[in-house]
Amino acid sequence: MTVALGTYGIWRHAGGLTPDLAREIEALGFGAIWIGGSPLGDLDLAESLLDATDGIAVATGIVNMWKTPAQEVAASYHRIEARHPGRFLLGVGIGHPEATSDYTRPYATIVDYLDALDAADVPIGGRALAALGPKVLKLSAERTAGAHPYLTTPEHTREAREILGEGVLLAPEHKVVVDTDPERARATGRPFVHKPYLGLRNYTSNLLRLGWTEEDIADGGSDRLIDALVAHGDAAAVAARLVEHVDAGADHVCAQVLTEGFAEPLPPMRALAEALGLS
């Protein structure tokens, strides 16, 4: 592992990230910013966030293998590494069969892509792999710094750590809503779970593997499932849920902070940072 992520970070879709927000997140004490939503392979956004900050790490969660050739993203990686050494983690992943008509031989495609990154001298310690199931989790441990699971629970984190073994990065994402009204918090969080994730079989297969039922997954997700996937309550309760991942074996947890409508994300981020003892 060549990048210091700290224990807690912020995961946010590329469209919601700006250099100004990156500076604020760094000032709050978070260790990393994860760029979600299949960021472009030119990695210009990652470079702009690094340019605007002093020491926080930036990671991609994730560059989609179907959208960006390995050679292109490798060139971008080397450009950024030369400018900001040790601050960028290249997260890559296979995406979802529902998102591309070319989705065939996914495991072989991942292996080929990692081979191409090897050939382009992208170091194993500078890259991570989106992984949920046992086979790809094992591959992440063998061919990258480790795994970046998405839409998971501490129970999955515990199982993933057993598969990965020690000394391998495990950096799950968890959605959070800082709101003490359970109904309102679920109403805020459910859309970010329902569409598209409860319609993507990579995620639904993982949830079923963890013991959730078809009834839990149907109709936008049961309250029980939403409560498991979207931590909510006051900042202390949300922080405690993230700590559960660490206790289960995570090295780093990236919180996707959700707000109602277009509400400003900084207040809940600030409250969460304080509850985690970051600032």
Side-chain angles (χ1 to χ4, degrees):
M1 182 68 184
T2 60
V3 184
L5 300 174
T7 306
Y8 299 102
I10 292 293
W11 191 105
R12 192 165 174 82
H13 276 278
L17 284 169
T18 64
D20 285 344
L21 182 58
R23 282 190 287 268
E24 296 280 4
I25 292 170
E26 181 175 43
L28 291 175
F30 290 100
I33 298 168
W34 291 75
I35 304 172
S38 298
L40 297 176
D42 59 23
L43 301 180
D44 286 350
L45 176 57
E47 189 168 15
S48 73
L49 301 181
L50 289 163
D51 286 345
T53 53
D54 295 322
I56 194 170
V58 172
T60 50
I62 45 77
V63 171
N64 189 305
M65 293 177 177
W66 299 108
K67 293 183 178 179
T68 303
Q71 293 78 5
E72 178 184 338
V73 78
S76 301
Y77 172 88
H78 288 302
R79 184 189 78 241
I80 291 175
E81 181 62 19
R83 187 174 176 90
H84 299 286
R87 292 182 59 200
F88 176 66
L89 180 66
L90 175 63
V92 296
I94 197 65
H96 314 287
E98 295 85 357
T100 176
S101 59
D102 295 328
Y103 197 97
T104 56
R105 301 174 61 248
Y107 187 84
T109 297
I110 296 173
V111 172
D112 290 346
Y113 200 93
L114 296 176
D115 287 345
L117 292 181
D118 285 344
D121 296 324
V122 175
I124 286 176
R127 66 199 196 205
L129 182 62
L132 288 173
K135 191 174 181 180
V136 181
L137 283 167
K138 290 177 182 177
L139 184 65
S140 75
E142 296 166 358
R143 301 292 306 276
T144 76
H148 172 49
Y150 184 90
L151 199 74
T152 65
T153 62
E155 292 73 24
H156 180 272
T157 293
R158 186 170 293 104
E159 292 183 6
R161 174 51 70 198
E162 292 176 0
I163 292 168
L164 293 171
E166 297 303 317
V168 177
L169 174 69
L170 179 53
E173 171 269 356
H174 202 110
K175 295 168 178 56
V176 308
V177 177
V178 180
D179 189 335
T180 56
D181 184 313
E183 293 300 321
R184 189 170 59 217
R186 290 187 192 108
T188 298
R190 180 173 271 109
F192 292 90
V193 174
H194 181 198
K195 294 183 178 179
Y197 303 115
L198 295 186
L200 300 176
R201 67 174 180 263
N202 288 0
Y203 292 115
T204 57
S205 295
N206 188 59
L207 292 171
L208 292 170
R209 189 164 49 237
L210 289 171
W212 299 95
T213 67
E214 296 283 2
E215 289 72 22
D216 285 314
I217 293 169
D219 301 321
S222 67
D223 285 353
R224 190 172 72 96
L225 178 63
I226 298 304
D227 290 348
L229 297 174
V230 183
H232 57 81
D234 61 17
V238 169
R241 183 65 166 164
L242 302 185
V243 171
E244 287 183 39
H245 280 280
V246 177
D247 291 343
D251 301 291
H252 173 87
V253 186
C254 39
Q256 184 177 172
V257 178
L258 308 175
T259 57
E260 186 178 12
F262 296 99
E264 169 63 45
L266 269 174
M269 288 181 185
R270 184 175 296 113
L272 181 59
E274 292 173 356
L276 289 169
L278 305 182
S279 59

